[in-house]
Amino acid sequence: MNLIIGRENSFNSDTLIYEAGDNIESIAYIINGSAKLITDSGEAVIYKEGEFIAFKDLFGGFYLGEYYAMAGCRLMAFPADDVNSFIDFLKNNPEIHKKYYYGLCSVMDFLYRQYDTLYTEITNVYNLLNTIYTQYTQCCNDIQAAPASFLMPHESSLYKFDTQSFAANYKIFLNCYKSGNKLSMLYEKNPEGFIKQQINLIQSIYTTYEDMIFFLKTEISLFSSNSQDCLFYLVSSLMEHVTPEYSKNVMRLLNNMKNVIVQIDKKVTESTGLQLDIDYNRVNFYFMMASNAALKEPSSPAASQYEQTAKSVSDNSYVDFSGTLLTLCNYAKLEKEDYLHFNSLIEFYIEMPDKASRDDDARAFRRDLSNMYFLLYEKVFFNYVEDKAPNKIVELFLDYGLLDERLLTDDQLEILTSIKPLNNVTPCRVYRMRDWLTAIYTGKKMPSKNEFDKDYTEYVRDRKREEHLSPAEETKLLNDNVQRVKYEIKNMLKYNCRILNGNMLAFTPMLSMYDFEGDLNNFLLTSEQLNDAVNNCISIDYSAFYREQMYSMPEKKINKEVIQLQVFPDIILFPVYGVNGVMWQDLSGKRSNTSGRFFFPAFFRGNINDTMITTIGRFRWELCKSIMGTAWNNVSVPSITAEYSDYVQFYRKNRELSSDKKEALKNQLSRCRNNTREVFIMDYFIWIKYESTGAVRLNKVARQMLSTYCPFPKKMRAKLATQPLYEEAIKRFNINQQKKSHEIAMRIHALERSGAEITKELYDTQEFYSM
């Protein structure tokens, strides 16, 4: 909604007033009621009467989230392309200023706190500059070299708030602001002087704040820039003069500097919202310049060969990437002709002017390249599982798709070697492809289903029927580890690499710098990130991975009890760069107590939390279909799939939907290509990301279904139940939950009386119904 600038705006219902990412045009003062900010992370921030909203966004130039005026809210909108336009408006409209002078003191208070935070950051950076230059001079002393001159900026203490000319008056205003009576007395004493002083103080602190931003950027340029006066250049240049004995000290200092500048960037952004635009390419250039100097050839060829051999033996972090494709082909024992053909394909790819070309020749080339890649992948893996001392390059190929060093920059190759193994964190077990295929090979995991939803057992039965296999041959094939892995590579790995990558028409399977921009580290997925995304979702949809099970344990006198069992999926990381996540299986077998399988690229570009919500939404739908069987769309047997199918099929006759809501659903169906599952997934995403915060996006019918089958946890339900739109659905769910909680409590009581030993599964079920 466009606010009327310079006027009061009233709202009868919750209304979106500022959209995330839009350029700043105005800010608003809350006269009555409240407003709400929904951040990108889904966090809800409430603004109350007497506060300005979106003022902080002025410093970034765009709205940092979605702002809603709540029902009954009344706002005064001020023009604010930047702080100066806001101040000019106040100067030209003294009557408006008179009305809102008290609220403007909240702006002064905010600016004061923002100023104090930024001052802390520039002081920290100043001290770090001093510390690192001292370490640089120490390195120079160690090698008996004269340190280069370095011009430190002026003292950061010049910006200390108390030393500013406006500080005393500013604090008077803030002290009066904390005592409302004193502020009104100050205003009544001299209204014109008050207004003038207030505007001047806001302008003064903002101007000095901008000076501090410039000072901070100057400090950063002294760390790293294209100037030979920056610290990175000075330290990296030392490598030309040091002996191997001291080169480690210099590289350690450079590593420290690299880590420091990343931490500064992150901390400043978190505390102030400022973007420093650090040139990491320049940082990496200096770092690589020093690394290359450290690896310069010794004077004697014999010594060079000796040192390289010693290095490869003693330094596990050293990887010789020269001839990577040849190394892999030799490891896989490919024929020489296959290697030469593969190498010619890579060279052709590197020289292609349009790597995304869709003409027939380009498509035929990419098909040939993909076939060679997966043939190599299969052969490399089978040699890997039998190898007692596998090559590091082999592991990088299997896990990340490293095929040829010519397809990546030196920085990217360095990043690949520095990637740490996945940590074993909960709730989901995360596998890299090498480990997943090994689990298939050793029989710890069953192969995945193929694109036609057939598992390995069904595939073998089809072969038995078509090839007239004997029972013995069928059994042998079922237990053949090599065939199981081949099935997995062909039907799971090869098929999904393209989907995960997202470039369906111009996909190439190997890791290549031509497919992405930026630091490879920024795209790397870890088990922590994936599990954090899962936990974020189930903190809202707590029942996502639960399913009803029949439970018996005769030795403890428990027979045929119904429990709620929570089973988390396995997550497999593919050796590919991509933008998608895939929910491949809701179950690993026919039984409903087996884990599902989620696929993600090893290098992911996108919002992992949003993608995980969509993936879990798809999992919910498919799990319900598997459990319900043929009744999955039978509305007489209630389930989320049945009710959504009925809702989508007969929405035109639904009296609970207004004509506007029916039109909106019609458009949604069109976007989802008339696929009921995709309609549910879209609604589920909105339910988790927006409705859980109280931001109304869904219609009444969809909200009731999701409240029933994808409920929020108790505390969240209690909070939302105060809103009329949620009250009915949540009340109905709570009644049903209390009924089931009472039933399980009575069952546990009855079992205790019969002498049964109550197990963890029963207590977990009781806890589930109290969530």
Side-chain angles (χ1 to χ4, degrees):
M1 174 183 176
N2 292 323
L3 297 177
I4 303 174
I5 306 299
R7 300 279 294 276
E8 293 182 0
N9 298 256
S10 299
F11 303 90
N12 297 321
S13 60
D14 297 353
T15 306
L16 177 67
I17 55 173
Y18 298 135
E19 289 197 49
D22 284 357
N23 291 332
I24 289 283
E25 293 181 354
S26 69
I27 60 175
Y29 176 78
I30 304 176
I31 303 169
N32 295 116
S34 63
K36 178 165 62 177
L37 162 66
I38 305 296
T39 65
D40 285 342
S41 63
E43 179 187 1
V45 180
I46 303 298
Y47 292 86
K48 299 177 181 177
E49 182 177 316
E51 294 181 336
F52 273 87
I53 59 174
F55 188 84
K56 184 176 182 180
D57 303 5
L58 278 173
F59 297 97
F62 59 90
Y63 295 111
L64 299 175
E66 296 190 336
Y67 289 89
Y68 293 84
M70 309 309 287
C73 180
R74 195 153 57 95
L75 301 176
M76 173 64 188
F78 294 86
D81 296 333
D82 54 30
V83 172
N84 290 325
S85 63
F86 172 65
I87 290 171
D88 289 342
F89 176 80
L90 294 174
K91 285 180 178 177
N92 297 327
N93 295 274
E95 289 302 315
I96 291 177
H97 191 164
K98 177 180 179 180
K99 200 169 183 181
Y100 299 105
Y101 72 85
Y102 185 83
L104 286 172
C105 281
S106 68
V107 170
M108 296 176 71
D109 185 46
F110 168 78
L111 279 170
Y112 173 74
R113 287 182 278 111
Q114 194 84 346
Y115 186 103
D116 190 54
T117 300
L118 184 58
Y119 176 72
T120 300
E121 296 303 333
I122 66 169
T123 302
N124 289 340
V125 176
Y126 184 88
N127 293 335
L128 282 168
L129 280 171
N130 245 330
T131 301
I132 290 173
Y133 183 66
T134 301
Q135 292 171 345
Y136 161 73
T137 55
Q138 182 61 50
C139 282
C140 290
N141 292 336
D142 290 343
I143 63 171
Q144 298 181 347
S149 60
F150 177 71
L151 184 63
M152 283 287 291
H154 60 70
E155 292 275 351
S156 60
S157 58
L158 290 175
Y159 295 104
K160 190 173 182 181
F161 186 82
D162 289 341
T163 65
Q164 306 305 310
S165 59
F166 53 80
N169 286 338
Y170 208 93
K171 286 191 173 181
I172 290 172
F173 268 80
L174 293 184
N175 289 332
C176 291
Y177 167 62
K178 292 170 185 176
S179 173
N181 292 334
K182 287 184 180 179
L183 191 67
S184 59
M185 288 171 61
L186 190 63
Y187 177 80
E188 295 297 335
K189 188 175 181 181
N190 185 359
E192 289 185 8
F194 182 99
I195 290 172
K196 184 177 179 181
Q197 182 76 294
Q198 192 177 36
I199 289 177
N200 287 339
L201 287 172
I202 292 174
Q203 197 157 33
S204 295
I205 195 171
Y206 181 67
T207 301
T208 312
Y209 185 85
E210 285 190 315
D211 290 343
M212 277 202 293
I213 294 174
F214 181 79
F215 179 75
L216 177 59
K217 291 181 177 179
T218 301
E219 290 180 311
I220 295 300
S221 71
L222 291 172
F223 262 107
S224 172
S225 68
N226 58 7
S227 166
Q228 295 188 1
D229 296 325
C230 76
L231 279 174
F232 261 100
Y233 179 84
L234 297 183
V235 176
S236 61
S237 297
L238 282 179
M239 293 301 292
E240 296 292 336
H241 311 289
V242 298
T243 61
E245 180 184 357
Y246 290 105
S247 64
K248 290 182 179 178
N249 293 341
V250 177
M251 289 305 297
R252 190 179 298 114
L253 177 55
L254 280 170
N255 267 313
N256 181 43
M257 291 168 65
K258 198 174 180 181
N259 292 333
V260 161
I261 204 162
V262 170
Q263 290 168 7
I264 289 171
D265 194 8
K266 182 180 179 182
K267 191 175 180 185
V268 168
T269 301
E270 289 176 349
S271 61
T272 69
L274 295 172
Q275 301 294 326
L276 294 181
D277 297 325
I278 293 171
D279 186 355
Y280 287 107
N281 288 331
R282 176 64 56 177
V283 171
N284 290 330
F285 170 76
Y286 288 135
F287 194 83
M288 289 304 299
M289 186 174 79
S291 299
N292 291 337
L295 295 172
K296 61 186 177 184
E297 290 187 2
S299 56
S300 151
S304 174
Q305 184 179 4
Y306 173 80
E307 286 189 13
Q308 290 292 348
T309 305
K311 189 167 195 175
S312 65
V313 172
S314 63
D315 185 357
N316 292 328
S317 65
Y318 175 75
V319 180
D320 182 5
F321 287 106
S322 58
T324 297
L325 179 61
L326 178 59
T327 300
L328 291 169
C329 289
N330 284 336
Y331 189 88
K333 299 176 182 176
L334 281 187
E335 296 294 332
K336 182 179 179 181
E337 291 74 16
D338 288 332
Y339 162 69
L340 292 174
H341 176 56
F342 208 165
N343 188 60
S344 67
L345 290 173
I346 297 299
E347 289 177 347
F348 181 80
Y349 175 75
I350 293 171
E351 297 300 325
M352 280 181 75
D354 181 10
K355 293 177 173 56
S357 173
R358 299 179 186 177
D359 62 36
D360 291 343
D361 289 342
R363 285 201 295 269
F365 158 74
R366 281 192 287 268
R367 183 166 56 249
D368 193 5
L369 177 60
S370 292
N371 289 337
M372 286 298 297
Y373 177 89
F374 287 108
L375 170 67
L376 177 67
Y377 197 97
E378 183 180 290
K379 289 181 176 294
V380 165
F381 175 76
F382 286 126
N383 285 331
Y384 168 81
V385 290
E386 301 298 334
D387 196 346
K388 302 302 180 183
N391 190 302
K392 179 68 173 176
I393 285 177
V394 169
E395 295 179 346
L396 295 177
F397 170 64
L398 294 173
D399 282 344
Y400 309 111
L402 168 68
L403 181 66
D404 195 302
E405 77 279 4
R406 294 169 292 180
L407 299 175
L408 296 168
T409 66
D410 289 343
D411 285 353
Q412 290 161 353
L413 291 170
E414 181 190 349
I415 288 169
L416 282 179
T417 61
S418 65
I419 296 174
K420 297 178 180 178
L422 291 171
N423 293 322
N424 188 14
V425 296
T426 56
C428 297
R429 175 72 186 274
V430 182
Y431 296 82
R432 295 214 185 277
M433 188 54 65
R434 173 168 49 106
D435 298 325
W436 177 256
L437 293 178
T438 301
I440 301 290
Y441 184 81
T442 57
K444 294 179 181 177
K445 293 286 183 179
M446 285 295 294
S448 305
K449 293 180 179 179
N450 64 16
E451 59 184 293
F452 304 110
D453 206 33
K454 285 188 176 181
D455 60 25
Y456 184 69
T457 302
E458 291 169 323
Y459 160 75
V460 171
R461 286 173 183 166
D462 286 346
R463 282 191 59 179
K464 178 186 178 183
R465 184 175 62 254
E466 294 166 2
E467 300 174 20
H468 306 291
L469 300 178
S470 66
E473 288 173 322
E474 179 190 12
T475 302
K476 181 181 178 181
L477 193 56
L478 282 170
N479 297 309
D480 189 327
N481 292 337
V482 172
Q483 290 301 320
R484 287 152 60 101
V485 172
K486 284 185 175 181
Y487 183 86
E488 191 77 348
I489 291 174
K490 179 182 177 182
N491 295 284
M492 185 272 272
L493 175 61
K494 187 175 180 180
Y495 182 81
N496 280 286
C497 276
R498 184 185 300 272
I499 296 173
L500 291 168
N501 176 261
N503 190 359
M504 302 296 288
L505 299 177
F507 168 71
T508 50
M510 65 283 183
L511 189 63
S512 167
M513 61 183 165
Y514 304 109
D515 291 334
F516 57 86
E517 295 179 358
D519 190 338
L520 203 56
N521 267 326
N522 295 335
F523 306 118
L524 180 68
L525 278 183
T526 65
S527 50
E528 287 83 359
Q529 288 173 306
L530 289 159
N531 277 286
D532 284 347
V534 171
N535 285 325
N536 287 339
C537 188
I538 63 174
S539 68
I540 297 171
D541 180 16
Y542 69 90
S543 62
F545 297 108
Y546 279 91
R547 68 286 310 263
E548 277 192 352
Q549 293 284 299
M550 290 303 298
Y551 176 72
S552 296
M553 194 167 281
E555 65 272 22
K556 295 188 178 181
K557 299 183 179 180
I558 299 173
N559 295 300
K560 294 184 179 180
E561 295 295 331
V562 178
I563 64 167
Q564 286 286 348
L565 184 66
Q566 189 177 34
V567 183
F568 288 99
D570 291 323
I571 299 178
I572 300 102
L573 293 175
F574 277 56
V576 70
Y577 165 85
V579 298
N580 293 321
V582 171
M583 196 298 294
W584 189 245
Q585 292 177 218
D586 54 300
L587 301 170
S588 292
K590 301 298 183 185
R591 299 177 62 185
S592 60
N593 63 349
T594 54
S595 57
R597 292 177 186 178
F598 292 179
F599 301 159
F600 287 90
F603 300 102
F604 176 74
R605 178 175 63 84
N607 187 316
I608 188 61
N609 287 304
D610 288 357
T611 304
M612 188 62 76
I613 292 172
T614 302
T615 306
I616 291 176
R618 186 168 278 105
F619 168 83
R620 262 195 167 283
W621 182 271
E622 296 300 333
L623 180 65
C624 183
K625 282 185 68 176
S626 295
I627 291 173
M628 299 302 295
T630 56
W632 73 269
N633 60 352
N634 185 348
V635 75
S636 64
V637 184
S639 69
I640 188 67
T641 52
E643 293 197 24
Y644 247 88
S645 297
D646 184 71
Y647 158 67
V648 168
Q649 187 175 358
F650 301 109
Y651 76 91
R652 290 184 179 86
K653 299 178 181 179
N654 196 322
R655 295 180 180 179
E656 292 189 87
L657 297 175
S658 66
S659 56
D660 288 345
K661 298 298 183 185
K662 289 177 182 178
E663 185 64 26
L665 181 53
K666 178 183 175 182
N667 294 334
Q668 185 182 1
L669 266 169
S670 177
R671 292 198 302 275
C672 296
R673 299 181 181 181
N674 293 318
N675 188 317
T676 303
R677 179 190 64 187
E678 297 306 312
V679 172
F680 164 75
I681 292 169
M682 185 180 289
D683 285 353
Y684 181 82
F685 180 85
I686 293 170
W687 177 248
I688 299 297
K689 188 159 186 179
Y690 298 105
E691 292 266 340
S692 62
T693 66
V696 178
R697 297 286 183 88
L698 298 173
N699 62 51
K700 179 182 179 182
V701 180
R703 186 178 298 108
Q704 286 175 341
M705 290 186 289
L706 287 163
S707 291
T708 302
Y709 296 103
C710 308
F712 299 139
K714 183 182 288 185
K715 287 184 179 179
M716 196 174 288
R717 294 198 305 271
K719 185 177 179 181
L720 291 174
T722 59
Q723 299 186 31
L725 288 171
Y726 295 89
E727 184 179 9
E728 181 184 344
I730 290 176
K731 183 178 180 180
R732 187 187 306 116
F733 174 80
N734 285 343
I735 291 172
N736 187 51
Q737 196 80 336
Q738 288 167 6
K739 179 183 176 183
K740 290 183 176 180
S741 179
H742 178 71
E743 287 174 357
I744 188 66
M746 295 301 293
R747 285 300 308 146
I748 289 174
H749 184 61
L751 288 168
E752 286 176 333
R753 282 188 301 175
S754 66
E757 182 182 343
I758 309 303
T759 61
K760 182 178 182 297
E761 286 78 5
L762 289 169
Y763 284 127
D764 286 346
T765 302
Q766 186 177 30
E767 184 180 353
F768 171 82
Y769 287 119
S770 66
M771 290 181 183

